[in-house]
């Protein structure tokens, strides 16, 4: 088994946090790290004890869900709540932060921002990060690496291919699908 890099590890953590998201529009996770130690994590969702978008729908005003606190803010607020300084720390986010989160990241003193996926990257957010001297690093990340159901999915595809074979599907067509299944699941 190939050992993942630290950047991949912390992005995997952010993707795991995103699995807790209660946002129906986009699941995002954020992890704050100092000296290769996790300080805090957050995902996008409602306030503690509040209504969740998954249960009550999004509360959209001006094309934004106002019910949701973004993952980056939740991670920063967790540090603030417990009196932990993030000055000079690094943040790993599953998606490029919005403009408001970008401003909070800068103001909190985050020195390096790692992200896995572009998402409506606001040009002013990019400009602000540059002005503030926050190093921004795109780290491609394959979410399938943390797919807890990967084995079950692969078994299902294999079973379906066998059923097609039993029903007389030609081997040339099946070979194409088997190749795709092997590419997806190894």
């Amino acid at each position: 088994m190939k050992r993942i890099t630290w950047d991949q590890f912390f992005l995997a953590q952010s993707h795991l946090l995103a699995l807790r998201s209660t946002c129906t529009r986009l699941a995002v996770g954020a992890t704050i790290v100092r000296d290769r130690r996790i300080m805090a994590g957050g995902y996008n969702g409602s306030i503690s004890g509040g209504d969740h978008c998954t249960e009550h729908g999004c509360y959209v005003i001006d094309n934004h869900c106002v019910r949701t606190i973004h993952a980056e803010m939740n991670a920063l607020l967790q540090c603030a709540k417990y009196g932990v300084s993030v000055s000079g720390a690094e943040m790993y986010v599953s998606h490029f932060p919005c403009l408001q989160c970008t401003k909070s990241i800068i103001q909190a003193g985050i020195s390096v921002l790692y992200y896995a996926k572009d998402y409506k990257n606001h040009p002013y957010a990019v400009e602000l990060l540059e002005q503030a001297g926050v190093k921004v690093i795109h780290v491609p990340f394959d979410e399938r690496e943390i797919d807890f159901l990967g084995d079950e999915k692969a078994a299902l595809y294999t079973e379906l291919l066998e059923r097609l074979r039993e029903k007389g599907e030609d081997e040339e067509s099946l070979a194409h699908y088997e190749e795709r299944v092997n590419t997806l699941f190894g």
Side-chain angles (χ1 to χ4, degrees):
M1 181 170 106
K2 186 179 130 197
R3 190 175 188 200
I4 63 174
T5 67
W6 283 109
D7 292 342
Q8 292 168 327
F9 174 78
F10 294 124
L11 279 173
Q13 178 69 35
S14 294
H15 280 82
L16 285 171
L17 284 161
L19 294 174
R20 292 282 306 151
S21 172
T22 59
C23 177
T24 58
R25 297 168 61 155
L26 180 70
V28 179
T31 306
I32 300 174
V33 174
R34 185 190 320 275
D35 299 325
R36 294 189 178 157
R37 299 291 180 259
I38 295 171
M39 299 169 62
Y43 54 87
N44 55 331
S46 302
I47 61 168
S48 296
D51 291 338
H52 296 289
C53 297
T54 52
E55 298 162 357
H56 300 281
C58 291
Y59 184 7
V60 178
I61 297 175
D62 295 331
N63 205 29
H64 295 290
C65 180
V66 297
R67 189 186 310 277
T68 301
I69 301 168
H70 291 188
E72 302 91 333
M73 287 302 299
N74 267 328
L76 290 169
L77 290 168
Q78 183 180 9
C79 287
K81 183 176 182 175
Y82 295 106
V84 178
S85 171
V86 297
S87 183
E90 302 170 338
M91 182 180 277
Y92 290 80
V93 189
S94 59
H95 296 76
F96 192 87
C98 72
L99 180 56
Q100 297 305 319
C101 285
T102 296
K103 290 191 250 180
S104 296
I105 289 165
I106 293 167
Q107 205 67 0
I110 296 293
S111 62
V112 183
L113 173 68
Y114 297 88
Y115 72 98
K117 290 182 183 172
D118 289 311
Y119 182 73
K120 299 180 181 180
N121 301 26
H122 196 287
Y124 190 52
V126 173
E127 181 183 329
L128 287 174
L129 288 162
E130 216 171 88
Q131 279 178 10
V134 176
K135 190 173 180 180
V136 179
I137 301 172
H138 176 248
V139 179
F141 184 81
D142 186 354
E143 292 176 56
R144 294 174 297 179
E145 295 291 324
I146 56 170
D147 184 357
F148 296 114
L149 301 175
D151 291 343
E152 289 86 349
K153 290 176 186 176
L156 174 63
Y157 286 122
T158 302
E159 181 183 334
L160 290 171
L161 288 170
E162 283 306 311
R163 293 245 172 119
L164 287 171
R165 185 171 280 115
E166 290 168 6
K167 293 194 180 287
E169 186 68 35
D170 68 281
E171 285 299 318
E172 191 174 317
S173 293
L174 290 176
H176 168 74
Y177 290 116
E178 283 177 324
E179 183 180 318
R180 289 178 64 192
V181 167
N182 287 333
T183 299
L184 285 172
F185 299 105

